[in-house]
Amino acid sequence: MHTKTLTELAQGLRSGKFSSLELTHAFLARIKQHQYLNAYITVTEEQALQSAKAADQRLASGNAELLTGIPIAQKDIFCTLDVKTTCGSKMLDNFTAPYNATVVEKFNQAGAVMLGKLNMDEFAMGSSNETSYYGAVKNPWNINTVPGGSSGGSAAAVAARLTVCATGTDTGGSIRQPAALCGITGLKPTYGRVSRYGMIAYASSLDQGGPMTQNAADAAIMLQTMAGFDEKDSTSVDLPVPDYRAGLNNSLAGLKIGLPKEFFGDGLNNDMAATLEIAINEYKKLGAEVKEISMPNLKLAIPAYYVIAPAECSANLSRFDGVRYGYRCKNPVDLADLYTRSRGEAFGKEVKRRILMGTYALSTGYYDAYYLKAQKIRRLISEDFKKALADVDVIMGPVTPTTAFGIGEKMDDPIEMYLSDIYTIAINLAGLPAISIPAGFIRDMPVGLQIIGNYFAEDRLLNVAHQYQKVTNWHHHTPKGFE
Ligand code: GLN
């Protein structure tokens, strides 16, 4: 059962080939068997079995939705009622939210069966899933390598078939990058498409939740449930949600693909360039036209992001003060001691580094030089995309500079770690949607192809990804030992 896609499982449940209870037992057993991957922080066994029973009744009664009875796992950044939500931090190790995130609520309503909460970089800060308080997640393709971050638990769990689908969040690449490094499909929707209510904030103007699955058709099903206006999120956009499955089979004849020369230039290693070229040739065979484009401000994305994201995080994380919720230090002598020791003892090194950088960038005298300047660059980057997307339908490029690197390899060099986000970050600054799909292997490790679309063109991205997946089989590969 675990080898099947979400689409196949939904059919199997409907035709009575297996029950949700059987399915849930099977996945729970796999989670136990492969615990060493460290993909899950919390497994909600009892609750899952109960929801599976309820789902089976709903399936029998005939009013089931596509996701009814389907196992799902939530990134531990989404608040879950009665289930611990840690955000990968010691700060929230004792935290149980008093409500469900909108995304969680929607999956519950659809009758999906939550298997548990997935490991992640602390407060979603990281590119390798090594900053989690709960330890690094291992990449099932090679357990000595990282799965990517920050949704590394989500990507590893889908790749190792410890769930059929998972949620992720993407502030600067955290859905696409782990998807690429683990050989799965990950979609970062347009900013505002999916509610952020109950999704613990890292950088509020960049954060966006999205689906992580084996393939694009499955992502379409998940996004259908996740997307839509939410009055509880003031930045959620009130636009109708299209039927994401309806357009999957549209022809790609005449599709205009832009390839930014800044993505395919000197910085890209030869193996990566050669693998992506094969993928792009596949698109030509499907009738697409390819042209080179230029986005001169892309090179400024990393410095701009690493001012804006830390600035927003320094404000967002000020709520963790040892008073209202989360970790509290022992025997504080006064209020200042309570604040400083609670935060000092419970935040990890990377989180502290971001808070320091952000507070510095926002302080009087530096605000104009750093924060304001970064915001201006953000605008220039958006303009680059706007111009490019007036001329082409989608933009393609790499997701990551290399395949998965070794655990520990970049932990002592934050700049090197930040550079692994070079192909994903600009898209968040512009607020655009983008998808990462499996596009080959380099020395047995998966490679992702990134497809970027116009605002709210998730349906187009899913269509472009699905057509490729109909003529290639990279997304069918499963890591050894997890078949
Ligand atoms: N790696 C980036 C960061 O550390 C992006 C993380 C994310 O998208 N959540 O900020």
Side-chain angles (χ1 to χ4, degrees), residues 208-257:
Q208 187 62 199
M212 300 178 75
T213 50
Q214 289 169 40
N215 63 33
D218 288 1
I221 298 176
M222 271 187 90
L223 185 63
Q224 201 70 53
T225 292
M226 296 175 85
F229 176 65
D230 180 8
E231 60 181 17
K232 294 185 193 136
D233 169 5
S234 61
T235 57
S236 132
V237 177
D238 195 359
L239 274 179
V241 177
D243 180 344
Y244 291 117
R245 297 211 306 155
L248 286 178
N249 283 314
N250 290 348
S251 155
L252 298 190
L255 177 82
K256 287 200 198 103
I257 300 175

Short mmCIF file of all heavy atoms in Angstrom, two decimals, residues 208-257:
data_model
loop_
_atom_site.label_atom_id
_atom_site.label_comp_id
_atom_site.label_asym_id
_atom_site.label_seq_id
_atom_site.Cartn_x
_atom_site.Cartn_y
_atom_site.Cartn_z
N GLN A 208 4.81 30.74 3.49
CA GLN A 208 3.65 30.19 2.79
C GLN A 208 3.66 28.66 2.89
O GLN A 208 4.67 28.02 2.66
CB GLN A 208 3.67 30.64 1.32
CG GLN A 208 2.43 30.29 0.52
CD GLN A 208 1.12 30.90 1.02
OE1 GLN A 208 0.06 30.42 0.67
NE2 GLN A 208 1.16 31.93 1.82
N GLY A 209 2.52 28.09 3.26
CA GLY A 209 2.40 26.64 3.37
C GLY A 209 2.06 26.02 2.03
O GLY A 209 1.45 26.68 1.17
N GLY A 210 2.43 24.76 1.86
CA GLY A 210 2.10 24.10 0.59
C GLY A 210 2.24 22.59 0.70
O GLY A 210 2.69 22.06 1.72
N PRO A 211 1.84 21.88 -0.38
CA PRO A 211 1.85 20.42 -0.38
C PRO A 211 3.19 19.79 -0.76
O PRO A 211 3.91 20.33 -1.59
CB PRO A 211 0.81 20.08 -1.45
CG PRO A 211 0.79 21.24 -2.38
CD PRO A 211 1.22 22.45 -1.59
N MET A 212 3.49 18.64 -0.16
CA MET A 212 4.66 17.84 -0.51
C MET A 212 4.20 16.41 -0.74
O MET A 212 3.64 15.78 0.15
CB MET A 212 5.72 17.94 0.59
CG MET A 212 6.15 19.39 0.79
SD MET A 212 7.34 19.67 2.09
CE MET A 212 8.86 19.06 1.35
N THR A 213 4.42 15.92 -1.96
CA THR A 213 3.83 14.66 -2.40
C THR A 213 4.79 13.93 -3.34
O THR A 213 5.86 14.44 -3.65
CB THR A 213 2.53 14.94 -3.19
OG1 THR A 213 2.83 15.93 -4.18
CG2 THR A 213 1.41 15.45 -2.32
N GLN A 214 4.35 12.76 -3.80
CA GLN A 214 5.19 12.05 -4.79
C GLN A 214 5.11 12.73 -6.15
O GLN A 214 6.08 12.74 -6.89
CB GLN A 214 4.73 10.60 -4.93
CG GLN A 214 5.04 9.74 -3.73
CD GLN A 214 4.33 8.40 -3.82
OE1 GLN A 214 4.23 7.79 -4.89
NE2 GLN A 214 3.82 7.93 -2.71
N ASN A 215 3.96 13.24 -6.50
CA ASN A 215 3.82 13.80 -7.85
C ASN A 215 2.85 14.99 -7.88
O ASN A 215 2.21 15.31 -6.86
CB ASN A 215 3.36 12.71 -8.84
CG ASN A 215 1.99 12.17 -8.47
OD1 ASN A 215 1.14 12.89 -7.97
ND2 ASN A 215 1.77 10.89 -8.71
N ALA A 216 2.75 15.61 -9.04
CA ALA A 216 1.97 16.84 -9.18
C ALA A 216 0.47 16.59 -9.06
O ALA A 216 -0.27 17.41 -8.52
CB ALA A 216 2.28 17.50 -10.52
N ALA A 217 0.01 15.44 -9.56
CA ALA A 217 -1.42 15.15 -9.48
C ALA A 217 -1.85 15.07 -8.01
O ALA A 217 -2.93 15.54 -7.63
CB ALA A 217 -1.73 13.85 -10.21
N ASP A 218 -0.99 14.49 -7.18
CA ASP A 218 -1.29 14.41 -5.75
C ASP A 218 -1.25 15.80 -5.10
O ASP A 218 -2.05 16.11 -4.22
CB ASP A 218 -0.27 13.51 -5.03
CG ASP A 218 -0.46 12.03 -5.37
OD1 ASP A 218 -1.36 11.71 -6.16
OD2 ASP A 218 0.31 11.21 -4.83
N ALA A 219 -0.29 16.60 -5.55
CA ALA A 219 -0.17 17.97 -5.01
C ALA A 219 -1.43 18.77 -5.33
O ALA A 219 -1.88 19.59 -4.51
CB ALA A 219 1.07 18.66 -5.57
N ALA A 220 -2.01 18.51 -6.49
CA ALA A 220 -3.24 19.21 -6.89
C ALA A 220 -4.37 18.90 -5.90
O ALA A 220 -5.13 19.78 -5.49
CB ALA A 220 -3.65 18.81 -8.30
N ILE A 221 -4.44 17.64 -5.50
CA ILE A 221 -5.49 17.23 -4.54
C ILE A 221 -5.28 17.92 -3.19
O ILE A 221 -6.20 18.46 -2.58
CB ILE A 221 -5.50 15.69 -4.36
CG1 ILE A 221 -5.83 15.02 -5.70
CG2 ILE A 221 -6.48 15.28 -3.26
CD1 ILE A 221 -5.78 13.50 -5.67
N MET A 222 -4.03 17.92 -2.74
CA MET A 222 -3.75 18.57 -1.44
C MET A 222 -4.02 20.07 -1.49
O MET A 222 -4.61 20.64 -0.59
CB MET A 222 -2.28 18.36 -1.06
CG MET A 222 -2.00 17.11 -0.28
SD MET A 222 -0.28 17.11 0.27
CE MET A 222 -0.39 17.94 1.85
N LEU A 223 -3.54 20.71 -2.58
CA LEU A 223 -3.70 22.16 -2.66
C LEU A 223 -5.18 22.55 -2.69
O LEU A 223 -5.58 23.58 -2.14
CB LEU A 223 -2.97 22.72 -3.88
CG LEU A 223 -2.98 24.24 -3.98
CD1 LEU A 223 -2.24 24.88 -2.80
CD2 LEU A 223 -2.38 24.73 -5.30
N GLN A 224 -5.99 21.71 -3.34
CA GLN A 224 -7.42 21.99 -3.42
C GLN A 224 -8.01 22.19 -2.01
O GLN A 224 -8.86 23.05 -1.80
CB GLN A 224 -8.13 20.79 -4.10
CG GLN A 224 -9.47 21.14 -4.68
CD GLN A 224 -9.33 22.05 -5.89
OE1 GLN A 224 -8.60 21.74 -6.82
NE2 GLN A 224 -10.01 23.17 -5.90
N THR A 225 -7.53 21.39 -1.09
CA THR A 225 -8.01 21.49 0.29
C THR A 225 -7.35 22.65 1.05
O THR A 225 -7.99 23.34 1.84
CB THR A 225 -7.77 20.15 1.01
OG1 THR A 225 -8.62 19.17 0.41
CG2 THR A 225 -8.06 20.22 2.49
N MET A 226 -6.08 22.89 0.77
CA MET A 226 -5.35 23.92 1.53
C MET A 226 -5.69 25.34 1.13
O MET A 226 -5.69 26.26 1.96
CB MET A 226 -3.83 23.73 1.33
CG MET A 226 -3.28 22.43 1.86
SD MET A 226 -1.52 22.21 1.47
CE MET A 226 -0.76 23.12 2.82
N ALA A 227 -5.95 25.56 -0.18
CA ALA A 227 -6.05 26.92 -0.70
C ALA A 227 -7.38 27.58 -0.33
O ALA A 227 -8.36 26.90 -0.03
CB ALA A 227 -5.92 26.88 -2.22
N GLY A 228 -7.37 28.91 -0.36
CA GLY A 228 -8.63 29.64 -0.18
C GLY A 228 -8.55 30.72 0.87
O GLY A 228 -7.68 30.69 1.76
N PHE A 229 -9.45 31.65 0.75
CA PHE A 229 -9.50 32.81 1.65
C PHE A 229 -9.80 32.37 3.08
O PHE A 229 -10.59 31.46 3.31
CB PHE A 229 -10.57 33.78 1.15
CG PHE A 229 -10.76 34.95 2.07
CD1 PHE A 229 -9.74 35.87 2.25
CD2 PHE A 229 -11.95 35.14 2.76
CE1 PHE A 229 -9.89 36.96 3.10
CE2 PHE A 229 -12.12 36.23 3.61
CZ PHE A 229 -11.09 37.13 3.78
N ASP A 230 -9.14 33.06 4.01
CA ASP A 230 -9.38 32.78 5.42
C ASP A 230 -9.46 34.12 6.14
O ASP A 230 -8.48 34.86 6.21
CB ASP A 230 -8.23 31.94 5.99
CG ASP A 230 -8.41 31.62 7.46
OD1 ASP A 230 -9.49 31.89 8.01
OD2 ASP A 230 -7.46 31.08 8.06
N GLU A 231 -10.61 34.41 6.69
CA GLU A 231 -10.75 35.72 7.35
C GLU A 231 -9.85 35.85 8.57
O GLU A 231 -9.62 36.95 9.06
CB GLU A 231 -12.21 36.00 7.69
CG GLU A 231 -12.80 34.98 8.62
CD GLU A 231 -14.27 35.25 8.93
OE1 GLU A 231 -14.91 36.03 8.18
OE2 GLU A 231 -14.75 34.66 9.91
N LYS A 232 -9.33 34.74 9.05
CA LYS A 232 -8.44 34.80 10.21
C LYS A 232 -7.00 35.17 9.83
O LYS A 232 -6.15 35.32 10.70
CB LYS A 232 -8.43 33.44 10.92
CG LYS A 232 -9.76 33.07 11.54
CD LYS A 232 -9.57 31.77 12.32
CE LYS A 232 -10.88 31.15 12.71
NZ LYS A 232 -10.87 29.71 12.46
N ASP A 233 -6.72 35.23 8.54
CA ASP A 233 -5.38 35.63 8.09
C ASP A 233 -5.53 36.87 7.21
O ASP A 233 -6.05 36.80 6.10
CB ASP A 233 -4.74 34.47 7.30
CG ASP A 233 -3.46 34.88 6.58
OD1 ASP A 233 -3.00 36.03 6.75
OD2 ASP A 233 -2.93 34.03 5.83
N SER A 234 -5.04 38.00 7.72
CA SER A 234 -5.28 39.26 7.02
C SER A 234 -4.54 39.35 5.69
O SER A 234 -4.84 40.21 4.87
CB SER A 234 -4.86 40.44 7.91
OG SER A 234 -3.49 40.33 8.19
N THR A 235 -3.56 38.49 5.45
CA THR A 235 -2.88 38.54 4.16
C THR A 235 -3.37 37.44 3.22
O THR A 235 -2.84 37.26 2.13
CB THR A 235 -1.34 38.39 4.33
OG1 THR A 235 -1.07 37.18 5.02
CG2 THR A 235 -0.76 39.57 5.08
N SER A 236 -4.37 36.70 3.64
CA SER A 236 -4.91 35.67 2.76
C SER A 236 -5.73 36.38 1.67
O SER A 236 -6.36 37.41 1.92
CB SER A 236 -5.74 34.71 3.61
OG SER A 236 -6.98 34.45 3.06
N VAL A 237 -5.67 35.86 0.47
CA VAL A 237 -6.25 36.58 -0.67
C VAL A 237 -7.62 36.00 -1.04
O VAL A 237 -7.78 34.79 -1.15
CB VAL A 237 -5.29 36.53 -1.87
CG1 VAL A 237 -5.91 37.21 -3.08
CG2 VAL A 237 -3.98 37.22 -1.50
N ASP A 238 -8.57 36.90 -1.23
CA ASP A 238 -9.94 36.48 -1.50
C ASP A 238 -10.17 36.33 -3.01
O ASP A 238 -10.77 37.17 -3.64
CB ASP A 238 -10.90 37.51 -0.91
CG ASP A 238 -12.31 36.96 -0.83
OD1 ASP A 238 -12.53 35.80 -1.26
OD2 ASP A 238 -13.20 37.69 -0.36
N LEU A 239 -9.65 35.25 -3.55
CA LEU A 239 -9.84 34.95 -4.97
C LEU A 239 -10.41 33.55 -5.06
O LEU A 239 -10.10 32.70 -4.22
CB LEU A 239 -8.48 34.94 -5.68
CG LEU A 239 -7.89 36.25 -6.20
CD1 LEU A 239 -6.54 35.98 -6.84
CD2 LEU A 239 -8.85 36.89 -7.21
N PRO A 240 -11.24 33.30 -6.09
CA PRO A 240 -11.79 31.94 -6.21
C PRO A 240 -10.67 30.91 -6.38
O PRO A 240 -9.62 31.22 -6.97
CB PRO A 240 -12.67 32.01 -7.46
CG PRO A 240 -12.44 33.33 -8.08
CD PRO A 240 -11.72 34.21 -7.13
N VAL A 241 -10.89 29.72 -5.86
CA VAL A 241 -9.90 28.64 -6.01
C VAL A 241 -10.30 27.80 -7.22
O VAL A 241 -11.40 27.26 -7.25
CB VAL A 241 -9.88 27.77 -4.73
CG1 VAL A 241 -8.91 26.60 -4.89
CG2 VAL A 241 -9.51 28.60 -3.52
N PRO A 242 -9.43 27.71 -8.22
CA PRO A 242 -9.80 26.91 -9.39
C PRO A 242 -9.79 25.41 -9.08
O PRO A 242 -9.29 25.00 -8.02
CB PRO A 242 -8.69 27.24 -10.40
CG PRO A 242 -7.53 27.71 -9.60
CD PRO A 242 -8.08 28.29 -8.33
N ASP A 243 -10.32 24.62 -9.98
CA ASP A 243 -10.24 23.17 -9.85
C ASP A 243 -8.86 22.75 -10.34
O ASP A 243 -8.59 22.75 -11.54
CB ASP A 243 -11.34 22.52 -10.70
CG ASP A 243 -11.31 21.00 -10.60
OD1 ASP A 243 -10.29 20.45 -10.14
OD2 ASP A 243 -12.30 20.37 -11.00
N TYR A 244 -7.96 22.41 -9.40
CA TYR A 244 -6.55 22.17 -9.77
C TYR A 244 -6.36 20.90 -10.58
O TYR A 244 -5.37 20.74 -11.26
CB TYR A 244 -5.67 22.14 -8.51
CG TYR A 244 -5.56 23.50 -7.87
CD1 TYR A 244 -6.04 23.74 -6.58
CD2 TYR A 244 -4.98 24.56 -8.55
CE1 TYR A 244 -5.94 25.00 -6.00
CE2 TYR A 244 -4.87 25.82 -7.99
CZ TYR A 244 -5.36 26.03 -6.71
OH TYR A 244 -5.27 27.28 -6.14
N ARG A 245 -7.30 19.98 -10.48
CA ARG A 245 -7.12 18.74 -11.24
C ARG A 245 -7.62 18.89 -12.67
O ARG A 245 -7.19 18.16 -13.57
CB ARG A 245 -7.84 17.59 -10.55
CG ARG A 245 -7.24 17.34 -9.15
CD ARG A 245 -7.32 15.92 -8.73
NE ARG A 245 -8.67 15.38 -8.80
CZ ARG A 245 -8.94 14.10 -8.94
NH1 ARG A 245 -7.98 13.23 -9.07
NH2 ARG A 245 -10.19 13.69 -8.97
N ALA A 246 -8.52 19.85 -12.87
CA ALA A 246 -9.18 19.98 -14.17
C ALA A 246 -8.18 20.27 -15.30
O ALA A 246 -8.36 19.78 -16.42
CB ALA A 246 -10.23 21.07 -14.11
N GLY A 247 -7.13 21.04 -15.01
CA GLY A 247 -6.23 21.45 -16.08
C GLY A 247 -4.98 20.61 -16.22
O GLY A 247 -4.11 20.91 -17.04
N LEU A 248 -4.87 19.55 -15.42
CA LEU A 248 -3.62 18.77 -15.40
C LEU A 248 -3.23 18.24 -16.78
O LEU A 248 -2.05 18.14 -17.10
CB LEU A 248 -3.75 17.59 -14.43
CG LEU A 248 -3.71 17.90 -12.94
CD1 LEU A 248 -3.90 16.62 -12.11
CD2 LEU A 248 -2.40 18.57 -12.55
N ASN A 249 -4.24 17.91 -17.57
CA ASN A 249 -3.92 17.28 -18.85
C ASN A 249 -3.90 18.23 -20.04
O ASN A 249 -3.82 17.79 -21.18
CB ASN A 249 -4.87 16.11 -19.11
CG ASN A 249 -4.45 14.91 -18.27
OD1 ASN A 249 -3.25 14.58 -18.22
ND2 ASN A 249 -5.38 14.32 -17.54
N ASN A 250 -3.93 19.53 -19.77
CA ASN A 250 -3.82 20.49 -20.88
C ASN A 250 -2.51 20.28 -21.62
O ASN A 250 -1.49 19.95 -21.02
CB ASN A 250 -3.89 21.92 -20.35
CG ASN A 250 -5.28 22.26 -19.84
OD1 ASN A 250 -6.24 21.52 -20.08
ND2 ASN A 250 -5.38 23.36 -19.13
N SER A 251 -2.57 20.51 -22.93
CA SER A 251 -1.37 20.32 -23.75
C SER A 251 -0.35 21.43 -23.48
O SER A 251 -0.72 22.55 -23.14
CB SER A 251 -1.78 20.34 -25.22
OG SER A 251 -0.70 20.74 -26.01
N LEU A 252 0.90 21.10 -23.63
CA LEU A 252 1.96 22.10 -23.43
C LEU A 252 2.43 22.69 -24.76
O LEU A 252 3.42 23.43 -24.79
CB LEU A 252 3.14 21.50 -22.67
CG LEU A 252 2.86 20.98 -21.26
CD1 LEU A 252 4.17 20.65 -20.55
CD2 LEU A 252 2.06 21.99 -20.43
N ALA A 253 1.75 22.34 -25.84
CA ALA A 253 2.17 22.88 -27.14
C ALA A 253 2.14 24.40 -27.09
O ALA A 253 1.15 24.99 -26.66
CB ALA A 253 1.23 22.36 -28.23
N GLY A 254 3.25 25.01 -27.45
CA GLY A 254 3.32 26.47 -27.48
C GLY A 254 3.66 27.10 -26.14
O GLY A 254 3.78 28.33 -26.05
N LEU A 255 3.83 26.28 -25.10
CA LEU A 255 4.21 26.82 -23.79
C LEU A 255 5.54 27.57 -23.91
O LEU A 255 6.50 27.04 -24.48
CB LEU A 255 4.37 25.68 -22.79
CG LEU A 255 4.84 26.09 -21.37
CD1 LEU A 255 3.65 26.57 -20.54
CD2 LEU A 255 5.53 24.92 -20.66
N LYS A 256 5.58 28.79 -23.40
CA LYS A 256 6.84 29.55 -23.47
C LYS A 256 7.60 29.44 -22.15
O LYS A 256 7.11 29.87 -21.11
CB LYS A 256 6.55 31.02 -23.77
CG LYS A 256 6.10 31.26 -25.18
CD LYS A 256 6.30 32.74 -25.55
CE LYS A 256 5.49 33.11 -26.76
NZ LYS A 256 4.28 33.87 -26.46
N ILE A 257 8.79 28.86 -22.25
CA ILE A 257 9.62 28.68 -21.06
C ILE A 257 10.79 29.67 -21.09
O ILE A 257 11.51 29.74 -22.10
CB ILE A 257 10.20 27.24 -21.01
CG1 ILE A 257 9.09 26.21 -20.98
CG2 ILE A 257 11.14 27.07 -19.81
CD1 ILE A 257 9.58 24.76 -21.06
#
